[in-house]
Amino acid sequence: VAEKVAHELFDLMEKFAGYGFNKSHAAAYALVAYQTAYMKTHHAAAFLAANFSAVMDDTDKVQQFHADALANGLAVLPPDVNASEYRFVPVDAKTVRYGLGGIKGTGESAIGAIVAEREQGGPFRDLFDLCRRVDKRIVNRRVIEALVRGGAFDAITDHRASLLATVPRAMEAAEQAERHAQQVSLFGGGDDAGHEPIALVPAPRWDERQKLAEEKTALGFYFSGHPFTSYRKELAAIVRTALADLQPKSEPVLLAGMVVSCRTAMTRRGKMGIIVLDDGTAQIEVTVYSEVFDLNRELLKEDRPLVIQGKVTFDQFSGNNRVSAERLFDIAS
């Protein structure tokens, strides 16, 4: 550039350096870092509950905080229509209760209506009781189905498949009870016909994989378990090392897990895949170069189990292990 422009650019950088790297700026960050560390050390449940609540619209960050909470010896209780608030709240020094607002498809107004009714009228006895007592214009079918998938009714009944099948019947029964109550108030006299117990719709129980898949739909991640657990025993004789225990090696190793995500990138040699593999102990990034990628596109689907033969190396840039895939297998192969 011209000398005049060069001087102007340098002056701008010099001006920024006076703010960007000055001592008071560094001191302020150091103080915040100290205060944050103090809170996490001495008030861990409250600190993490606040952090959960701040990011509960971002399920990836909620999952990160969940892993961090478990790593720091905290328990995260599941969502519960009779115990949870909208936000995540500390129960005691080592326990956090999952917030109903962290369930996708709910919303603050719907959860606020549920919590307000619970505080006023007491705990909900069952799904029908909740549907009858809340405002259906605010707490609609989608909200209740999301709560069922997320396990918020498990303390009442853990048969999530039956509950989900019953939601339409419960909503209809609540509307009928409301119409009945209006007739009673209009014509006088009354009975308990609108409050007769109604049975849940029979349905086969979800197996663990189905339960976790539905749970992930509602919460954005696997909360109560991990789908790879059901494959672990089957693969134990072949895959002997968990992802958390992987070490860089010169020879190829076998590893396995569920595909969390898969993205592609173009290289000079064609399209390559970068997948994130998770076995419940850790997540690791796997690079699948074009030749292997082209042969195994059908295997690289989210939430599917995958066995990989590849080389493990340490990435100096990220500070984590990386895997370069040489061969890919599904469970059958």
Side-chain angles (χ1 to χ4, degrees), residues 149-168:
R149 287 189 172 96
F153 286 91
D154 281 8
I156 299 172
T157 174
D158 64 353
H159 197 336
R160 296 185 190 179
S162 181
L163 278 172
L164 193 65
T166 305
V167 171

Side-chain angles (χ1 to χ4, degrees), residues 40-122:
K40 189 171 182 179
T41 302
H42 298 289
H43 306 282
F47 175 79
L48 279 163
N51 276 282
F52 271 123
S53 299
V55 301
M56 62 185 179
D57 291 334
D58 187 334
T59 53
D60 288 340
K61 290 184 179 177
V62 170
Q63 183 177 7
Q64 289 171 11
F65 278 120
H66 181 248
D68 187 57
L70 299 182
N72 282 279
L74 271 67
V76 182
L77 300 177
D80 185 341
V81 291
N82 281 330
S84 294
E85 305 292 331
Y86 173 70
R87 293 178 172 81
F88 291 72
V89 294
V91 177
D92 56 39
K94 288 288 184 182
T95 310
V96 175
R97 170 70 71 176
Y98 206 103
L100 295 178
I103 299 176
K104 293 195 286 187
T106 54
E108 189 167 1
S109 58
I111 300 305
I114 291 172
V115 172
E117 175 56 37
R118 186 184 75 207
E119 290 175 348
Q120 182 179 349

Side-chain angles (χ1 to χ4, degrees), residues 232 240-248 255-256 277-284 312 321:
R232 199 182 303 278
R240 296 183 175 86
T241 307
L243 295 185
D245 301 325
L246 279 182
Q247 297 295 330
L255 51 121
L277 202 68
D278 186 338
D279 71 346
T281 67
Q283 290 189 355
I284 194 165
V312 183
N321 288 329

Side-chain angles (χ1 to χ4, degrees), residues 188-239:
D191 54 50
D192 293 328
H195 300 286
E196 292 177 0
I198 307 171
L200 294 174
V201 174
R205 278 186 176 270
W206 290 335
D207 59 21
E208 189 68 9
R209 293 177 194 174
Q210 175 77 19
K211 174 187 169 185
L212 290 170
E214 298 285 351
E215 194 173 275
K216 187 181 180 185
T217 301
L219 304 182
F221 67 103
Y222 305 116
F223 177 80
S224 63
H226 198 280
F228 187 68
T229 304
S230 58
Y231 299 104
R232 199 182 303 278
K233 289 182 181 178
E234 190 176 348
L235 295 170
I238 305 166
V239 181

